[in-house]
Amino acid sequence: MQLIADRVTYCHRGQGTALLRELSLQVRAGDSVAVIGPSGSGKSTLLGLLGGLLVPASGEVRLEQAAGDGLAKHVSWILQTVNVLADRTVQDNIALGAYADGCARTESLTRADAALDLVGLDGRGREKVRTLSGGEVQRVVIARALVSRRPVLLADEPTGQLDRATSEEVVSSLLTAAADRVLVVVTHDDTVAGRCGAVYRLHDGRLVPA
Amino acid sequence: MTRWRLSVAAAEGARSLLAGRWLSVLLVALFSAGLAAVAITDAVQVQRLVDDERAWVAAGGRMLVATNDAGGVPAAACEDLRNHPGVLAAAAVSRLDEPVALGIAPQGAVAAVTATEGAAALLGLDGFVGGVVLPETIADTTGLPVGSHLLLAPAPSTDGLTLATPPGGGPATGQGDGSGAAQPPGAQDVGPPALLDAQPLQVVDVADLSLLGEERSSGILLPVAAAGVADACFVNTRPGHVDAAREALPAMLATSGTPAVVADRLVGGQLARDYAQEHDQRASRQAPWALAVGLGVLWLLVRWLRRGHDGLYATLGAGPTVRTVIRMTEWTLLVLLSVTLAGIAVTIASATLGLDAAVAGPHAARATIITVGVATAIAALAAAVPLRSPLDALKDR
């Protein structure tokens, strides 16, 4: 399985200048790619295109050898913003990833319990997410991506709000989760980028090896 | 399978409401308080109108009085009006020129009024053929209770009177003297005066006779058969039939080719309050619409505050249909809870305020249906508005 961006160009609505220009990228399952670059360079926009949430002005993004249509349905997200339901339990939040695969409630909770152990939150499934630390919340998000079993993991600044030690733990969890999947990480953190298999810099609307 | 199950989406909506805790409690409190306030306010306003109208009707609001200077109105034609579909009750009524004396006070004299059988329905009596009805003033003065008997004696100048008997009791007929007016051709002669003191009469009821007008309300009411002519014909119409009756009665109660004169029982009857119009134009009638918009906008605000949740669901593969199911399930449960609480509040308030269930119930139901229906339409429209971009929605939290 392979995620391919083929000469993708993207302009924000109402802006004449292209943010991304004929950008190309290929990532195979089991590979991890980091994208770095200054703020406003279009890193998050690139992730939105790779995940099928944004539509390119030209070029295409496709997932080869994926069954079914709709790129977005093959993607799990780990975003910079705290995208959890804070009033719900850890277990409920993780189970959301299994709902996305069409699982029923019972199976989803079973998957969620299994994922808790993988991210070091074993026994904390009943706690409300609002009571967790920032690092623990990101682990909840990673666990949710794990239970979804979708072949593409896209992470936008997954350690942006974490201290160094916690960041190391989260990245380890993320790389473990992505062992057999396509992983693309957008980050400012060179340490995080350094742990990925390949690192690209987004410069002037194109990707160049860092 | 790569899509959310709708049953899971519905359960997610329910859990979202439960997880909302204080916000959910606040919304349910606001919704139920609004629903109850609108329903109770409208029910109270309508109840006042209904009470006013009932009092107006009881005082003769839909009653017409026909007279005829050409010799009175025909009693039989008047009594026959009872069979007309637009007529609730009709009776021919006359005030005797001469007073009668009570057996227990032979030196005294009281006024006497005769009425045909229809007077029972007109005055709300169980029936009075074969007895007399005392006005409250005479009952209080004499102390005669219902069921007692009294003997009436003709006053010295009373021409005479023949009392009607109960159904099957004989051929007795009688009439008043038409308030002194000349009898029309064919009218029956007044009967012999001896009957008045020939038999004791039972007091069958004590009633307020003010419907019959000031000059007749203080007299003892005596039943007479529907024959000859009477002073006046009192006609109580059904709602919506007053105008038609007002037009038809002059010809129906004509005497010797002279049409009857028809007047409203209450002075200014035609200028009286229009209860139907007041009902349609009451201020509280529009309140459910305003409340519905208010609740809908409140829900839009909540949805805006939670727009990040929609973005999150979208990144988890929940399409527009699934997200709509989640939101509308949450909304539906919120509304059901609120309607239940509002229903309890309305029931308690109705009992406390003494509202008529037949009045309060339908109006509370109408207010609830409008409010919930319109607010739900707004909520559904809000749920159908496309998400601009899940990424933007998430970052905008």
Side-chain angles (χ1 to χ4, degrees), chain B residues 58-108:
Chain B
R62 294 199 190 100
M63 189 177 290
L64 300 173
V65 182
T67 55
N68 196 326
D69 289 342
V73 292
C78 177
E79 189 75 7
D80 283 346
L81 291 173
R82 295 159 62 189
N83 300 319
H84 193 281
V87 174
L88 274 173
V93 180
S94 295
R95 186 178 192 275
L96 299 185
D97 280 347
E98 300 299 332
V100 295
L102 301 177
I104 58 173
Q107 303 307 314

CSV table of all heavy atoms in Angstrom, one decimal, chain B residues 58-108:
chain,number,residue,atom,x,y,z
B,58,ALA,N,-74.3,33.0,29.9
B,58,ALA,CA,-75.2,32.8,31.0
B,58,ALA,C,-76.1,33.9,31.2
B,58,ALA,O,-77.3,33.8,31.7
B,58,ALA,CB,-74.5,32.4,32.2
B,59,ALA,N,-75.6,35.1,31.0
B,59,ALA,CA,-76.4,36.4,31.2
B,59,ALA,C,-77.3,36.7,30.0
B,59,ALA,O,-78.0,37.7,30.0
B,59,ALA,CB,-75.5,37.5,31.4
B,60,GLY,N,-77.3,35.8,29.0
B,60,GLY,CA,-78.1,36.0,27.8
B,60,GLY,C,-77.4,36.6,26.6
B,60,GLY,O,-78.0,37.2,25.8
B,61,GLY,N,-76.1,36.4,26.5
B,61,GLY,CA,-75.3,36.9,25.5
B,61,GLY,C,-75.8,36.5,24.1
B,61,GLY,O,-75.6,37.2,23.1
B,62,ARG,N,-76.3,35.3,24.0
B,62,ARG,CA,-76.7,34.8,22.7
B,62,ARG,C,-78.2,34.7,22.6
B,62,ARG,O,-78.8,33.9,21.9
B,62,ARG,CB,-76.1,33.4,22.4
B,62,ARG,CG,-74.6,33.5,22.2
B,62,ARG,CD,-74.1,32.2,21.4
B,62,ARG,NE,-72.6,32.2,21.5
B,62,ARG,CZ,-71.9,31.4,22.3
B,62,ARG,NH1,-72.6,30.6,23.1
B,62,ARG,NH2,-70.6,31.4,22.3
B,63,MET,N,-78.9,35.4,23.5
B,63,MET,CA,-80.3,35.3,23.6
B,63,MET,C,-81.0,36.5,22.9
B,63,MET,O,-80.5,37.7,23.0
B,63,MET,CB,-80.7,35.3,25.1
B,63,MET,CG,-82.2,35.0,25.3
B,63,MET,SD,-82.6,34.9,27.0
B,63,MET,CE,-81.8,33.4,27.4
B,64,LEU,N,-82.0,36.2,22.2
B,64,LEU,CA,-82.8,37.2,21.5
B,64,LEU,C,-84.2,37.2,22.1
B,64,LEU,O,-84.7,36.2,22.6
B,64,LEU,CB,-82.9,36.9,20.0
B,64,LEU,CG,-81.6,36.8,19.2
B,64,LEU,CD1,-81.8,36.3,17.8
B,64,LEU,CD2,-80.9,38.2,19.2
B,65,VAL,N,-84.8,38.4,22.1
B,65,VAL,CA,-86.2,38.6,22.6
B,65,VAL,C,-87.1,39.2,21.5
B,65,VAL,O,-86.8,40.2,21.0
B,65,VAL,CB,-86.2,39.5,23.9
B,65,VAL,CG1,-87.6,39.6,24.5
B,65,VAL,CG2,-85.2,39.0,24.9
B,66,ALA,N,-88.1,38.4,21.2
B,66,ALA,CA,-89.1,38.9,20.2
B,66,ALA,C,-90.4,39.3,20.8
B,66,ALA,O,-90.9,38.6,21.6
B,66,ALA,CB,-89.3,37.7,19.2
B,67,THR,N,-90.8,40.5,20.4
B,67,THR,CA,-92.1,41.0,20.8
B,67,THR,C,-92.9,41.5,19.6
B,67,THR,O,-92.3,41.6,18.5
B,67,THR,CB,-91.9,42.2,21.8
B,67,THR,OG1,-91.1,43.2,21.2
B,67,THR,CG2,-91.2,41.8,23.1
B,68,ASN,N,-94.1,41.7,19.8
B,68,ASN,CA,-94.9,42.2,18.7
B,68,ASN,C,-96.0,43.0,19.2
B,68,ASN,O,-96.9,42.6,20.0
B,68,ASN,CB,-95.5,40.9,17.9
B,68,ASN,CG,-96.0,41.3,16.5
B,68,ASN,OD1,-96.5,42.5,16.4
B,68,ASN,ND2,-95.8,40.4,15.6
B,69,ASP,N,-96.0,44.3,18.9
B,69,ASP,CA,-97.0,45.2,19.3
B,69,ASP,C,-98.4,45.0,18.7
B,69,ASP,O,-99.4,45.5,19.2
B,69,ASP,CB,-96.6,46.7,19.0
B,69,ASP,CG,-95.4,47.1,19.9
B,69,ASP,OD1,-95.2,46.4,20.9
B,69,ASP,OD2,-94.7,48.1,19.5
B,70,ALA,N,-98.4,44.1,17.7
B,70,ALA,CA,-99.7,43.8,17.1
B,70,ALA,C,-100.5,42.8,17.9
B,70,ALA,O,-101.4,42.2,17.3
B,70,ALA,CB,-99.5,43.3,15.7
B,71,GLY,N,-100.1,42.5,19.1
B,71,GLY,CA,-100.9,41.6,19.9
B,71,GLY,C,-100.1,40.5,20.5
B,71,GLY,O,-100.7,39.4,20.9
B,72,GLY,N,-98.8,40.6,20.6
B,72,GLY,CA,-98.0,39.6,21.2
B,72,GLY,C,-97.5,38.6,20.2
B,72,GLY,O,-97.8,38.7,19.0
B,73,VAL,N,-96.6,37.6,20.7
B,73,VAL,CA,-96.1,36.6,19.8
B,73,VAL,C,-96.8,35.3,19.9
B,73,VAL,O,-97.2,35.0,21.1
B,73,VAL,CB,-94.5,36.5,20.0
B,73,VAL,CG1,-93.8,37.7,19.6
B,73,VAL,CG2,-94.3,36.1,21.5
B,74,PRO,N,-96.9,34.6,18.9
B,74,PRO,CA,-97.6,33.3,19.0
B,74,PRO,C,-96.8,32.3,19.8
B,74,PRO,O,-95.6,32.0,19.5
B,74,PRO,CB,-97.7,32.8,17.6
B,74,PRO,CG,-96.7,33.5,16.8
B,74,PRO,CD,-96.5,34.8,17.5
B,75,ALA,N,-97.4,31.8,20.9
B,75,ALA,CA,-96.6,30.9,21.9
B,75,ALA,C,-96.2,29.6,21.2
B,75,ALA,O,-95.1,29.1,21.4
B,75,ALA,CB,-97.5,30.7,23.1
B,76,ALA,N,-97.1,29.0,20.4
B,76,ALA,CA,-96.8,27.7,19.8
B,76,ALA,C,-95.6,27.9,18.8
B,76,ALA,O,-94.7,27.0,18.8
B,76,ALA,CB,-98.0,27.2,19.1
B,77,ALA,N,-95.6,28.9,18.0
B,77,ALA,CA,-94.5,29.1,17.1
B,77,ALA,C,-93.2,29.4,17.8
B,77,ALA,O,-92.1,28.9,17.4
B,77,ALA,CB,-94.8,30.3,16.2
B,78,CYS,N,-93.3,30.1,19.0
B,78,CYS,CA,-92.1,30.3,19.8
B,78,CYS,C,-91.6,29.0,20.3
B,78,CYS,O,-90.4,28.7,20.2
B,78,CYS,CB,-92.5,31.3,20.9
B,78,CYS,SG,-91.1,31.6,22.1
B,79,GLU,N,-92.5,28.2,20.9
B,79,GLU,CA,-92.0,26.9,21.5
B,79,GLU,C,-91.5,26.0,20.4
B,79,GLU,O,-90.5,25.2,20.7
B,79,GLU,CB,-93.2,26.3,22.2
B,79,GLU,CG,-92.9,25.1,23.0
B,79,GLU,CD,-92.2,25.4,24.3
B,79,GLU,OE1,-92.1,26.6,24.7
B,79,GLU,OE2,-91.7,24.5,25.0
B,80,ASP,N,-92.0,26.1,19.2
B,80,ASP,CA,-91.5,25.2,18.1
B,80,ASP,C,-90.1,25.5,17.7
B,80,ASP,O,-89.4,24.7,17.1
B,80,ASP,CB,-92.4,25.4,16.9
B,80,ASP,CG,-93.7,24.6,17.1
B,80,ASP,OD1,-93.8,23.8,18.0
B,80,ASP,OD2,-94.7,24.8,16.3
B,81,LEU,N,-89.7,26.7,18.0
B,81,LEU,CA,-88.3,27.1,17.7
B,81,LEU,C,-87.3,26.2,18.3
B,81,LEU,O,-86.1,26.1,17.9
B,81,LEU,CB,-88.0,28.6,18.1
B,81,LEU,CG,-88.7,29.6,17.3
B,81,LEU,CD1,-88.5,31.0,18.0
B,81,LEU,CD2,-88.3,29.7,15.9
B,82,ARG,N,-87.7,25.5,19.4
B,82,ARG,CA,-86.8,24.6,20.1
B,82,ARG,C,-86.3,23.5,19.1
B,82,ARG,O,-85.2,22.9,19.4
B,82,ARG,CB,-87.5,23.9,21.3
B,82,ARG,CG,-87.8,25.0,22.4
B,82,ARG,CD,-88.9,24.4,23.3
B,82,ARG,NE,-88.5,23.2,24.0
B,82,ARG,CZ,-89.3,22.5,24.7
B,82,ARG,NH1,-90.6,22.8,24.8
B,82,ARG,NH2,-88.8,21.4,25.3
B,83,ASN,N,-87.1,23.2,18.1
B,83,ASN,CA,-86.7,22.1,17.2
B,83,ASN,C,-85.8,22.6,16.1
B,83,ASN,O,-85.3,21.8,15.3
B,83,ASN,CB,-88.0,21.5,16.6
B,83,ASN,CG,-88.9,21.0,17.6
B,83,ASN,OD1,-88.4,20.3,18.6
B,83,ASN,ND2,-90.2,21.2,17.5
B,84,HIS,N,-85.5,23.9,16.1
B,84,HIS,CA,-84.6,24.5,15.0
B,84,HIS,C,-83.2,24.2,15.4
B,84,HIS,O,-82.8,24.3,16.6
B,84,HIS,CB,-84.8,26.0,14.9
B,84,HIS,CG,-84.2,26.6,13.7
B,84,HIS,ND1,-82.9,26.9,13.7
B,84,HIS,CD2,-84.7,26.9,12.5
B,84,HIS,CE1,-82.6,27.4,12.5
B,84,HIS,NE2,-83.7,27.4,11.8
B,85,PRO,N,-82.3,23.7,14.5
B,85,PRO,CA,-81.0,23.3,14.8
B,85,PRO,C,-80.1,24.4,15.4
B,85,PRO,O,-79.2,24.2,16.1
B,85,PRO,CB,-80.4,22.8,13.5
B,85,PRO,CG,-81.3,23.3,12.4
B,85,PRO,CD,-82.7,23.5,13.1
B,86,GLY,N,-80.4,25.7,15.1
B,86,GLY,CA,-79.6,26.8,15.6
B,86,GLY,C,-80.1,27.3,16.9
B,86,GLY,O,-79.5,28.2,17.5
B,87,VAL,N,-81.1,26.7,17.5
B,87,VAL,CA,-81.7,27.2,18.7
B,87,VAL,C,-81.5,26.2,19.9
B,87,VAL,O,-81.7,25.0,19.8
B,87,VAL,CB,-83.2,27.4,18.6
B,87,VAL,CG1,-83.9,27.8,19.9
B,87,VAL,CG2,-83.5,28.5,17.5
B,88,LEU,N,-80.9,26.7,21.0
B,88,LEU,CA,-80.7,25.9,22.2
B,88,LEU,C,-82.0,25.8,23.0
B,88,LEU,O,-82.3,24.8,23.5
B,88,LEU,CB,-79.6,26.5,23.0
B,88,LEU,CG,-78.2,26.2,22.7
B,88,LEU,CD1,-77.2,27.0,23.5
B,88,LEU,CD2,-77.9,24.7,22.9
B,89,ALA,N,-82.7,26.9,23.1
B,89,ALA,CA,-83.9,26.9,24.0
B,89,ALA,C,-84.7,28.1,23.5
B,89,ALA,O,-84.3,29.1,23.0
B,89,ALA,CB,-83.5,27.1,25.4
B,90,ALA,N,-86.0,27.9,23.7
B,90,ALA,CA,-87.0,29.0,23.4
B,90,ALA,C,-88.2,28.8,24.3
B,90,ALA,O,-88.6,27.7,24.6
B,90,ALA,CB,-87.4,28.9,21.9
B,91,ALA,N,-88.7,29.9,24.7
B,91,ALA,CA,-89.9,29.9,25.5
B,91,ALA,C,-90.7,31.2,25.4
B,91,ALA,O,-90.2,32.2,25.2
B,91,ALA,CB,-89.5,29.7,27.0
B,92,ALA,N,-92.0,31.0,25.4
B,92,ALA,CA,-92.9,32.2,25.4
B,92,ALA,C,-93.2,32.6,26.8
B,92,ALA,O,-93.6,31.7,27.6
B,92,ALA,CB,-94.2,31.8,24.6
B,93,VAL,N,-93.1,33.8,27.1
B,93,VAL,CA,-93.2,34.3,28.5
B,93,VAL,C,-94.1,35.5,28.5
B,93,VAL,O,-94.1,36.4,27.7
B,93,VAL,CB,-91.8,34.7,29.0
B,93,VAL,CG1,-91.9,35.2,30.4
B,93,VAL,CG2,-90.8,33.5,28.9
B,94,SER,N,-94.9,35.5,29.6
B,94,SER,CA,-95.8,36.7,29.8
B,94,SER,C,-95.9,37.1,31.2
B,94,SER,O,-95.7,36.2,32.1
B,94,SER,CB,-97.3,36.3,29.3
B,94,SER,OG,-97.3,36.1,27.9
B,95,ARG,N,-96.0,38.3,31.5
B,95,ARG,CA,-96.2,38.8,32.9
B,95,ARG,C,-97.7,39.1,33.1
B,95,ARG,O,-98.3,39.8,32.3
B,95,ARG,CB,-95.4,40.0,33.2
B,95,ARG,CG,-95.4,40.5,34.6
B,95,ARG,CD,-94.5,41.7,34.8
B,95,ARG,NE,-94.3,42.0,36.2
B,95,ARG,CZ,-95.0,42.8,36.9
B,95,ARG,NH1,-96.2,43.2,36.4
B,95,ARG,NH2,-94.7,43.0,38.2
B,96,LEU,N,-98.3,38.5,34.1
B,96,LEU,CA,-99.7,38.7,34.3
B,96,LEU,C,-99.9,40.1,34.8
B,96,LEU,O,-99.1,40.7,35.6
B,96,LEU,CB,-100.2,37.7,35.4
B,96,LEU,CG,-100.2,36.2,35.0
B,96,LEU,CD1,-100.8,35.4,36.1
B,96,LEU,CD2,-100.8,36.0,33.7
B,97,ASP,N,-101.0,40.7,34.3
B,97,ASP,CA,-101.3,42.1,34.7
B,97,ASP,C,-101.5,42.2,36.2
B,97,ASP,O,-101.1,43.2,36.9
B,97,ASP,CB,-102.5,42.6,34.0
B,97,ASP,CG,-102.1,43.1,32.6
B,97,ASP,OD1,-100.9,43.2,32.3
B,97,ASP,OD2,-103.0,43.2,31.7
B,98,GLU,N,-102.3,41.2,36.7
B,98,GLU,CA,-102.7,41.3,38.1
B,98,GLU,C,-101.8,40.4,39.0
B,98,GLU,O,-101.5,39.3,38.5
B,98,GLU,CB,-104.1,40.8,38.3
B,98,GLU,CG,-105.1,41.7,37.5
B,98,GLU,CD,-105.1,43.2,37.9
B,98,GLU,OE1,-104.8,43.4,39.1
B,98,GLU,OE2,-105.4,44.0,37.1
B,99,PRO,N,-101.4,40.8,40.1
B,99,PRO,CA,-100.6,39.9,41.0
B,99,PRO,C,-101.5,38.8,41.6
B,99,PRO,O,-102.7,38.8,41.4
B,99,PRO,CB,-100.2,40.8,42.1
B,99,PRO,CG,-101.2,41.9,42.2
B,99,PRO,CD,-101.8,42.1,40.8
B,100,VAL,N,-100.8,37.8,42.2
B,100,VAL,CA,-101.5,36.7,42.8
B,100,VAL,C,-101.2,36.7,44.3
B,100,VAL,O,-100.2,37.3,44.7
B,100,VAL,CB,-101.1,35.3,42.2
B,100,VAL,CG1,-101.5,35.2,40.8
B,100,VAL,CG2,-99.6,35.1,42.4
B,101,ALA,N,-102.0,36.1,45.1
B,101,ALA,CA,-101.8,36.0,46.5
B,101,ALA,C,-101.3,34.6,46.9
B,101,ALA,O,-101.8,33.7,46.3
B,101,ALA,CB,-103.1,36.4,47.3
B,102,LEU,N,-100.4,34.6,47.8
B,102,LEU,CA,-100.0,33.3,48.3
B,102,LEU,C,-100.9,32.8,49.4
B,102,LEU,O,-101.4,33.7,50.2
B,102,LEU,CB,-98.5,33.4,48.9
B,102,LEU,CG,-97.5,33.8,47.9
B,102,LEU,CD1,-96.1,33.9,48.6
B,102,LEU,CD2,-97.4,32.9,46.7
B,103,GLY,N,-101.2,31.5,49.5
B,103,GLY,CA,-102.0,31.0,50.5
B,103,GLY,C,-101.6,31.3,51.9
B,103,GLY,O,-102.4,31.5,52.8
B,104,ILE,N,-100.2,31.3,52.1
B,104,ILE,CA,-99.7,31.5,53.4
B,104,ILE,C,-99.7,33.0,53.8
B,104,ILE,O,-99.5,33.3,55.0
B,104,ILE,CB,-98.3,31.0,53.6
B,104,ILE,CG1,-97.4,31.7,52.5
B,104,ILE,CG2,-98.2,29.5,53.4
B,104,ILE,CD1,-95.9,31.3,52.7
B,105,ALA,N,-100.0,33.8,52.8
B,105,ALA,CA,-100.1,35.3,53.1
B,105,ALA,C,-101.2,35.9,52.2
B,105,ALA,O,-100.9,36.6,51.2
B,105,ALA,CB,-98.8,36.0,52.9
B,106,PRO,N,-102.4,35.6,52.5
B,106,PRO,CA,-103.5,35.9,51.6
B,106,PRO,C,-103.6,37.4,51.4
B,106,PRO,O,-104.2,37.9,50.4
B,106,PRO,CB,-104.7,35.3,52.2
B,106,PRO,CG,-104.3,34.9,53.6
B,106,PRO,CD,-102.9,34.8,53.6
B,107,GLN,N,-103.2,38.2,52.3
B,107,GLN,CA,-103.3,39.7,52.2
B,107,GLN,C,-102.2,40.2,51.3
B,107,GLN,O,-102.3,41.4,50.8
B,107,GLN,CB,-103.2,40.3,53.5
B,107,GLN,CG,-104.3,39.8,54.5
B,107,GLN,CD,-105.7,39.9,53.9
B,107,GLN,OE1,-106.1,40.9,53.4
B,107,GLN,NE2,-106.4,38.8,54.1
B,108,GLY,N,-101.2,39.5,51.0
B,108,GLY,CA,-100.1,40.0,50.2
B,108,GLY,C,-100.3,39.7,48.7
B,108,GLY,O,-101.3,39.0,48.4
